[in-house]
Amino acid sequence: MSVPISIAVVGLGYWGPNLARNASSSPSVHLAGICDSDAQRLNAIGSRFPAARRHQSLDSLLDDSDVEAIAIATPVATHAAIARKALQAGKHVLVEKPFVTSRSEARELAALASRVQRTLMLDHVFVHHPAVQKLARLYHSGELGDVTYIDSVRINLGLLQNDVDVLWDLAPHDLSIIDHLVGRPPLSVAAVGNSGGQGTPTSVAYLHLDYGDGLLASVHVNWLSPVKIRHFMVGGTRRSALYNDLDLSEPLKIYDRGVDVDHDPEGRRRTMISYRSGDVVSPTIPKVEALQNVINHFAECILSGKEPISSATQGIRVVEILEAASISLARGGAAVELLAV
Amino acid sequence: MSVPISIAVVGLGYWGPNLARNASSSPSVHLAGICDSDAQRLNAIGSRFPAARRHQSLDSLLDDSDVEAIAIATPVATHAAIARKALQAGKHVLVEKPFVTSRSEARELAALASRVQRTLMLDHVFVHHPAVQKLARLYHSGELGDVTYIDSVRINLGLLQNDVDVLWDLAPHDLSIIDHLVGRPPLSVAAVGNSGGQGTPTSVAYLHLDYGDGLLASVHVNWLSPVKIRHFMVGGTRRSALYNDLDLSEPLKIYDRGVDVDHDPEGRRRTMISYRSGDVVSPTIPKVEALQNVINHFAECILSGKEPISSATQGIRVVEILEAASISLARGGAAVELLAV
Amino acid sequence: MSVPISIAVVGLGYWGPNLARNASSSPSVHLAGICDSDAQRLNAIGSRFPAARRHQSLDSLLDDSDVEAIAIATPVATHAAIARKALQAGKHVLVEKPFVTSRSEARELAALASRVQRTLMLDHVFVHHPAVQKLARLYHSGELGDVTYIDSVRINLGLLQNDVDVLWDLAPHDLSIIDHLVGRPPLSVAAVGNSGGQGTPTSVAYLHLDYGDGLLASVHVNWLSPVKIRHFMVGGTRRSALYNDLDLSEPLKIYDRGVDVDHDPEGRRRTMISYRSGDVVSPTIPKVEALQNVINHFAECILSGKEPISSATQGIRVVEILEAASISLARGGAAVELLAV
Amino acid sequence: MSVPISIAVVGLGYWGPNLARNASSSPSVHLAGICDSDAQRLNAIGSRFPAARRHQSLDSLLDDSDVEAIAIATPVATHAAIARKALQAGKHVLVEKPFVTSRSEARELAALASRVQRTLMLDHVFVHHPAVQKLARLYHSGELGDVTYIDSVRINLGLLQNDVDVLWDLAPHDLSIIDHLVGRPPLSVAAVGNSGGQGTPTSVAYLHLDYGDGLLASVHVNWLSPVKIRHFMVGGTRRSALYNDLDLSEPLKIYDRGVDVDHDPEGRRRTMISYRSGDVVSPTIPKVEALQNVINHFAECILSGKEPISSATQGIRVVEILEAASISLARGGAAVELLAV
């Protein structure tokens, strides 16, 4: 085992303490510092992590030469500036989703990280979930056949945010999982949505990503749903899979069900369709907190120099989709081509 | 109790026998005849309904002056011609969904029925489901507050049809429920979808209906889903409701959950948002087969001359939406205005 | 295909019409007659089965030499007398559960059937359910390891019966499934229960069957439960299985989960216990109505002379358990040995 | 707000750290110390609670005059001796379930606590769960009518314990909830059970408690179940309730369903039974960790001198039932009267 990476957490709102807790219990990193401009918050959270130095300013943190890497969990509007400063100070950077507010910022940071040879990784936490890892292996193995649709539903009575709408708040989860599976950007994006009443931001939204090659991916995110649903469905010509994040005992199910289409050899005038209703398998999934995997993977990439699976490139693609979706939303749902943004 | 209406069923494929069974067990109608061009099918089904005369041709059926009304369960392409002939022969007509293949046909039939003073009703069976009836009373009472979204999911490993795509096959169910609640046509419709692989029709589709006044209704229909889901969610500013057709014990749930938005009186610069997480109520729903309600309501409308709740007007609106959706699908998802079709 | 067996249904209350419907649609039998002392009921049901002769008395039915077999669906108190007469008249007999009211009647009928060489079969319908058939193959293959417990829960807001308590009404389902798996009588039976308030019969009951060899089987039946649950769990040292009759898409699940117990070779002073949390498999189960299987199996046994899987021997064992359970109930739950009844 | 009570946690195995975490975040107590004989464990857990003094021996802890109260989370065999010493040292005591290994120990400790005027409370954590609190108010209000049965199922693939069997490990949860509702000891207890294979302790068990007055309470606990179920059902003549600890969104449901029994006034010869299938209500339940309530209630009882709801008296009753159940288990399930133990 190598020496643990010294890491500090910036921003101690909702997510930051989770990062700190996982960092402090990970064998691969050492929680060296925490940082928040609110002194009261800093001390309240700091009392749980006595070994971490407390910083009220980013500059003070970045000056600490013991700190090798930082994890950013501040409001999204501040991500780009903090990440830029940290990379320039020679720190490795893990950024909470959504990455940044525009693709130009995303690209600039990726280029900077490359230039200074530091690891820039996205905290796309679901990409590191053991069930998604299993699903990705299945997807890439070809066992599903040709995948024709992906349908992700992430709805709940959620906290309306002030700084982002539901699209930028929730959809990065779905988009990063989709990106991890598909591995390329969509051709175009369409989005429709609605607010939850006068004075509220977009709180219900639907995204449709046309990936070409017969693949359509759709995402439904909703802050106003009275029920909590997290369904991620992948439909292939041979098999289909459902990742249900709320089913603790069987989070991933693989269905040997589908439609067989045989084309009439004599002229293709008729299509012969038959159904398969086969077994359902729920593979055993290790019970590991996904955020623990994030922390360990970040340390591993820093040490080895290899590209994270939730890389800056993935971060750029997710932000590009969100940016295009915002444009589509403003245009009443018209599809926006990714290159034409 | 009045004398039962004499009814005949035309088309003995999948749905026709259900109509015949419900007609034969309803106190308000009398199953006087059945009709199918396939003699073997006619006799096989006929043996279950010994009191019903068997007709191999529509003309023979329409000539039977004992028959006051017919229920059409043939392939959709034949609906308009059969309904036209039947109305002209002075019969009342119940038409299986989808109504017809174009709005011009729909309008022509509605006008004809009006002219000959016969009842023309759609077999929009879910509109007559006791849970939907309860939901509609709730919706119209205003207890939900302002409804901002409707989300309907109807997915299953279903039979790919030859004559219709998944939109025309399944969405009439959702669209008729939505129409029954909202009671007016949407301003525009957008649809995206995908086939289930080469040579198959559109098998996955999403519809988005902009009703104006802050209401967005969305429908996801899918023939290729390995799991069966039928969720119909209505989100209001005061309450929300979920009709889950597969939950036999609690098909309708009303959630006293929501978001309260208070506008800052001094200049509306800040929005105060608070959450309510109140009780959930599942009202008791009578266990009546919806199709039995359809038959009884048809008889009642014939006798009283009143407009059916699943009227020809509703049928026109549903077909207009489907037609616009097909256009949107062909145009890659661009919204199609209803008046501009 | 051989000539269909001519069968008649006796008793047209709740279950009889289901038997008649399945008989009339089965290729292996011909519904030749129906019988009920209530003329109005006889004609109402008879109109659905025009090919079946209507009999108002058992004697008239038994005199009909065309009838080869009868299915008895009358109140349990009449089963023994009707079955006896029918066997004596040379008819094969299918008896609805519960078989008879005492083990002496059960044994007498089994002996009589053997003497007159007619098939006597129990309508233990769950034994013929495809999921139970699959479970039985699994059980008998040894793949579950040593089975240490069986737990069956069958609870619902059910119809309180006048002639039987909840034990005799519902438990035959569970006991016949258990008997089909285990294949031998238990050593002893204990039962506790309660009424649903003054003046009502036993409406909640628990049975515990000690099968020796480390196997305990338990049954919870309840007419007063506000929720409907039908769980049949089989726990083995290698695998476990759950048959959930209400889960239409995955009625049977096989869990590769369990506890490995390794005994310390040096003196057995310590027990090493480890856990396995493996895959879950839901094998595809044919969607066949169990009662259709019952009818076909009855016809097959009549033709071949082979012993039905829900044989009179199984019927005797189930009645013996019920009789012992009633004694245990009366004695406040003390275990009653099967041989000592 | 009064000064927080200084508390120390003894035993840092599975449950102790949870107690420490809740104590350290509660406003009503101050985590003053932690104690474990294993120095490595003491320091590992201690690093999370820097403000708590670390003690490797009980004597050292009890000598600390700053400590007013202790929470015992050691193996059950040590509970009595530790509690005795602590009470004698003038500390208030919270004991993890199961309380002690015999009713004589239970009674002795209760008497001692009374004599030294210190609070002795049981950590019956489910009694302090908001859903159970709501259920208890409902029960005691009489809105359920006459309660005829309670059925509790607590099954899972659980950790086989070395020092206790499944009865003593899991059933205290169910028995304390039942005791909290019913408020009096049962007349008799019967228990049957089984091991999970040679060399393992009783791992599956069923308890039946006869409370007289027409109330039967049953408990199924199981360490070997492949599925996790936690159902607590209460059946009344007017209403029924189901507390499902695993349903996070609707943990408590109240069913306006039941059986109305009307006795025939003329001689009670006939019983008129009718069914009600009314609404289901899921009252909103505060999302508070039950253990947080335990800690706060302990502090409140220490300050006010009032009897805890999970009192030593409840602890005695639960241990008496467990002791009787163990005797019944050894006697093959024969009912054991509580007074006759």
Side-chain angles (χ1 to χ4, degrees), chain A residues 148-153 155 157-162 190 192-201 204-206 208 214-218 220 222-227 229 231 233-235 237 240-242 255 257-259 261 263 268 271 273 275-277 332-335, chain B residues 147-153 155 157-162 190 192-201 204 206 208 214-218 220 222-227 229 231 233-235 237 240-242 255 257-259 261 263 268 271 273 275-277 332-335:
Chain A
T148 59
Y149 72 89
I150 294 175
D151 181 80
S152 188
V153 177
I155 69 181
L157 192 61
L159 200 63
L160 270 68
Q161 306 286 325
N162 285 319
V192 299
N194 203 3
S195 80
Q198 266 207 323
T200 61
V204 183
Y206 300 84
H208 302 290
L215 172 59
L216 172 70
S218 298
H220 174 201
N222 190 331
W223 277 335
L224 302 173
S225 168
V227 289
I229 299 178
H231 268 192
M233 211 181 321
V234 180
T237 49
S240 294
L242 174 63
Y255 299 82
R257 292 177 183 167
V259 176
V261 180
H263 299 289
R268 291 183 175 242
T271 302
I273 291 171
Y275 289 81
R276 278 173 297 105
S277 180
Chain B
V147 172
T148 58
Y149 72 89
I150 294 175
D151 181 79
S152 188
V153 177
I155 67 180
L157 192 60
L159 199 63
L160 270 69
Q161 305 286 325
N162 286 319
V192 299
N194 203 2
S195 80
Q198 265 206 324
T200 61
V204 183
Y206 300 83
H208 301 291
L215 171 60
L216 173 69
S218 298
H220 173 202
N222 191 330
W223 276 335
L224 302 173
S225 169
V227 288
I229 299 178
H231 269 192
M233 212 182 320
V234 179
T237 49
S240 294
L242 174 63
Y255 299 83
R257 292 177 183 168
V259 176
V261 180
H263 298 291
R268 292 184 173 242
T271 302
I273 291 172
Y275 289 79
R276 278 174 296 106
S277 180

Side-chain angles (χ1 to χ4, degrees), chain B residues 64-119:
Chain B
D64 185 340
S65 60
D66 285 354
V67 170
E68 299 168 84
I70 69 162
I72 303 175
T74 57
V76 60
T78 67
H79 285 186
I82 296 174
R84 192 182 300 116
K85 267 194 155 177
L87 288 168
Q88 284 165 344
K91 314 294 188 193
H92 304 278
V93 173
L94 178 69
V95 191
E96 185 40 29
K97 62 88 206 166
F99 183 13
V100 285
T101 57
S102 72
R103 65 173 187 157
S104 55
E105 283 175 344
R107 288 177 175 178
E108 178 220 320
L109 290 175
L112 173 59
S114 172
R115 208 158 57 237
V116 299
Q117 291 184 294
R118 286 296 176 275
T119 295

Side-chain angles (χ1 to χ4, degrees), chain B residues 64-290:
Chain B
D64 185 340
S65 60
D66 285 354
V67 170
E68 299 168 84
I70 69 162
I72 303 175
T74 57
V76 60
T78 67
H79 285 186
I82 296 174
R84 192 182 300 116
K85 267 194 155 177
L87 288 168
Q88 284 165 344
K91 314 294 188 193
H92 304 278
V93 173
L94 178 69
V95 191
E96 185 40 29
K97 62 88 206 166
F99 183 13
V100 285
T101 57
S102 72
R103 65 173 187 157
S104 55
E105 283 175 344
R107 288 177 175 178
E108 178 220 320
L109 290 175
L112 173 59
S114 172
R115 208 158 57 237
V116 299
Q117 291 184 294
R118 286 296 176 275
T119 295
L120 174 59
M121 173 168 148
L122 270 294
D123 183 12
H124 287 157
V125 69
F126 281 97
V127 165
H128 299 268
H129 191 292
V132 173
Q133 286 297 313
K134 177 83 187 174
L135 176 59
R137 283 193 296 278
L138 190 76
Y139 192 103
H140 297 134
S141 74
E143 283 183 50
L144 300 175
D146 295 329
V147 172
T148 58
Y149 72 89
I150 294 175
D151 181 79
S152 188
V153 177
R154 183 178 303 273
I155 67 180
N156 197 15
L157 192 60
L159 199 63
L160 270 69
Q161 305 286 325
N162 286 319
D163 56 340
V164 288
D165 63 8
V166 73
L167 210 60
W168 285 78
D169 181 40
L170 294 184
H173 292 311
D174 312 282
L175 295 174
S176 57
I177 302 175
I178 294 169
D179 184 81
H180 184 56
L181 297 181
V182 180
R184 64 178 200 273
L187 304 179
S188 67
V189 177
V192 299
N194 203 2
S195 80
Q198 265 206 324
T200 61
T202 298
S203 305
V204 183
Y206 300 83
L207 266 90
H208 301 291
L209 316 182
D210 178 1
Y211 275 94
D213 280 340
L215 171 60
L216 173 69
S218 298
V219 175
H220 173 202
V221 284
N222 191 330
W223 276 335
L224 302 173
S225 169
V227 288
K228 185 174 186 175
I229 299 178
R230 287 187 180 177
H231 269 192
F232 189 97
M233 212 182 320
V234 179
T237 49
R238 289 185 56 209
R239 285 195 181 78
S240 294
L242 174 63
Y243 161 42
N244 179 353
D245 190 51
L246 303 183
D247 186 337
L248 298 181
S249 63
E250 301 180 38
L252 181 65
K253 290 188 177 189
I254 303 158
Y255 299 83
D256 186 17
R257 292 177 183 168
V259 176
D260 288 322
V261 180
D262 291 314
H263 298 291
D264 181 0
E266 306 168 21
R268 292 184 173 242
R269 287 213 311 255
R270 293 180 58 216
T271 302
M272 318 289 278
I273 291 172
S274 57
Y275 289 79
R276 278 174 296 106
S277 180
D279 293 357
V280 184
V281 175
S282 300
T284 182
I285 301 290
K287 296 204 185 307
V288 183
E289 193 175 354

Side-chain angles (χ1 to χ4, degrees), chain C residues 148-149 151 158-160 192 194 198 200 206 208 214 218 220 224-227 229 231 233 255 257 261 263 275, chain D residues 148-149 151 158-160 192 194 198 200 206 208 214 218 220 224-227 229 231 233 255 257 261 263 275:
Chain C
T148 59
Y149 73 88
D151 180 81
L159 200 62
L160 269 67
V192 299
N194 203 2
Q198 266 206 323
T200 61
Y206 300 84
H208 302 291
S218 298
H220 174 201
L224 303 173
S225 168
V227 289
I229 299 178
H231 268 192
M233 210 182 320
Y255 299 84
R257 292 178 184 168
V261 180
H263 299 290
Y275 288 80
Chain D
T148 60
Y149 73 88
D151 181 80
L159 200 62
L160 269 68
V192 300
N194 204 3
Q198 267 206 322
T200 61
Y206 300 84
H208 301 292
S218 298
H220 175 201
L224 303 173
S225 169
V227 288
I229 299 179
H231 268 192
M233 211 183 319
Y255 298 84
R257 291 177 184 169
V261 180
H263 298 290
Y275 289 80

Side-chain angles (χ1 to χ4, degrees), chain D residues 98-168:
Chain D
F99 183 13
V100 285
T101 58
S102 71
R103 65 173 186 157
S104 55
E105 283 174 344
R107 288 179 174 174
E108 180 220 317
L109 290 175
L112 173 59
S114 172
R115 210 159 53 236
V116 300
Q117 291 185 295
R118 286 297 176 275
T119 295
L120 173 60
M121 173 169 148
L122 271 291
D123 182 12
H124 287 158
V125 69
F126 282 97
V127 165
H128 299 268
H129 191 292
V132 173
Q133 286 296 313
K134 178 84 186 174
L135 176 59
R137 283 193 296 276
L138 190 76
Y139 192 102
H140 296 134
S141 73
E143 283 183 50
L144 301 175
D146 296 329
V147 172
T148 60
Y149 73 88
I150 294 174
D151 181 80
S152 187
V153 177
R154 183 178 304 272
I155 67 180
N156 196 16
L157 193 60
L159 200 62
L160 269 68
Q161 305 286 325
N162 285 318
D163 55 341
V164 288
D165 63 9
V166 73
L167 210 60
W168 285 78

